[in-house]
Amino acid sequence: MTQADWIAVDWGTSNVRAWIFDERNEVVATASSDKGMGSLDPAGFEPALIELVGQYLPEAGTVPVIACGMVGARQGWVEAPYATCPCPPPGLADAVSATAADPRLDLSILPGVKQSAPADVMRGEETQIGGFLAAEPGFDGILCLPGTHTKWVHISAGEIVSFRTCMTGEIFALLSRQSVLRFAVTGDGWDAQSFRAAVSDAMSSPQNFSAWLFGLRADSLLNGTGVDVSRARLSGLLLGLELAGTKPYWLGREVVIVGAPALSDLYVTALAEQGVSARFMDGGDLSLAGIRAARAQMESRT
């Protein structure tokens, strides 16, 4: 069994991922589990980590572990206070040490980033941003990170200048699963034309949003409109509202959509309807790239 030289950990609300590095700084193993922050109390983090990577720890000595994400939240292993933007993505010099009962663990937790006005926070995305900037250090524009809570981030001169968070993904989940709309939108299928039309409707007449929502239910009852149309239209209405609210971010700037392909494609399509040609980048490995960049930054100072 390969012993770890150091370990990178991305600890989210629902899941945790780990990458095990050897002395050549190469990934030799990966591990993941569903023991995210949402299922643990502070005392549960260390056992969850040992269960995940214990087989790669030596019998004696210590292994540096660099973690990002919700492990540093107030409800996490130990709180890593937010850095204040404008700032570069936090590095290992900004990390907080967490005490572990197992002497083999030397744990550092990277902090998130906060913004005072308007009030906003991120935790985990800043490490993805660090990974992006490691590949494109001269980038000046907007990163959009779609998800349950989508981030729109202004990047300039290697710093997070400002950002806004939109709860579009969570609102879609609530409406499609817990509201009367669940009868109209539960199922598979997709109608791209209905999605694009709904984006334009929401951007041009946002005051009709609430009425349009109930119209989805009524249309399915009275006209037999299919789930593919209703689901696409609900997504389009919500994303149209998001784009209307974040227009100062994406209008006239280079935009890169960083995330999972399927969801990112909706953002690329919606922005294209507004005349914005957004670039897509798969965000799957950016957390790891950000942790590696944070570690390399510290090593370059020593």
Side-chain angles (χ1 to χ4, degrees), residues 102-300:
D102 191 318
R104 297 174 296 173
L105 296 174
D106 179 14
L107 180 66
S108 300
I109 300 177
L110 298 173
V113 173
K114 68 179 179 180
Q115 176 177 275
S116 298
D120 213 330
V121 295
M122 67 170 73
R123 195 176 285 281
E125 293 89 355
E126 72 293 326
T127 305
Q128 289 183 293
I129 295 168
F132 175 87
L133 287 175
E136 299 191 28
F139 179 78
D140 192 318
I142 302 300
L143 294 186
C144 173
L145 296 92
T148 304
H149 301 149
T150 297
K151 307 289 183 184
W152 292 84
V153 188
H154 179 198
I155 303 294
S156 183
E159 291 193 336
I160 299 169
V161 178
S162 66
F163 63 99
R164 294 304 306 269
T165 303
C166 299
M167 291 178 59
T168 305
E170 184 169 356
I171 294 170
F172 180 87
L174 290 170
L175 289 174
S176 61
R177 298 172 188 170
Q178 300 184 37
S179 79
V180 69
L181 296 184
R182 67 188 185 276
F183 301 110
V185 302
T186 299
D188 299 321
W190 188 260
D191 187 89
Q193 183 177 351
S194 296
F195 170 77
R196 292 192 297 267
V199 170
S200 297
D201 286 344
M203 291 197 68
S204 61
S205 302
Q207 69 275 12
N208 293 320
F209 174 73
S210 181
W212 277 329
L213 287 183
F214 192 78
L216 297 176
R217 169 64 172 159
D219 207 26
S220 68
L221 286 172
L222 301 179
N223 302 316
T225 300
V227 167
D228 55 344
V229 171
S230 299
R231 188 174 183 83
R233 185 160 175 78
L234 173 59
S235 178
L237 290 173
L238 288 167
L239 189 46
L241 280 185
E242 179 178 328
L243 291 186
T246 57
K247 195 172 185 178
Y249 275 81
W250 52 261
L251 185 63
R253 287 177 169 150
E254 181 181 1
V255 179
V256 179
I257 311 296
V258 178
L263 182 56
S264 296
D265 185 61
L266 297 183
Y267 280 78
V268 171
T269 299
L271 284 167
E273 291 294 302
Q274 312 309 313
V276 177
S277 181
R279 178 159 55 99
F280 165 70
M281 176 178 285
D282 194 317
D285 291 328
L286 281 185
S287 291
L288 174 58
I291 294 174
R292 294 186 76 157
R295 184 173 185 266
Q297 183 184 60
M298 176 64 81
E299 289 182 336
S300 68

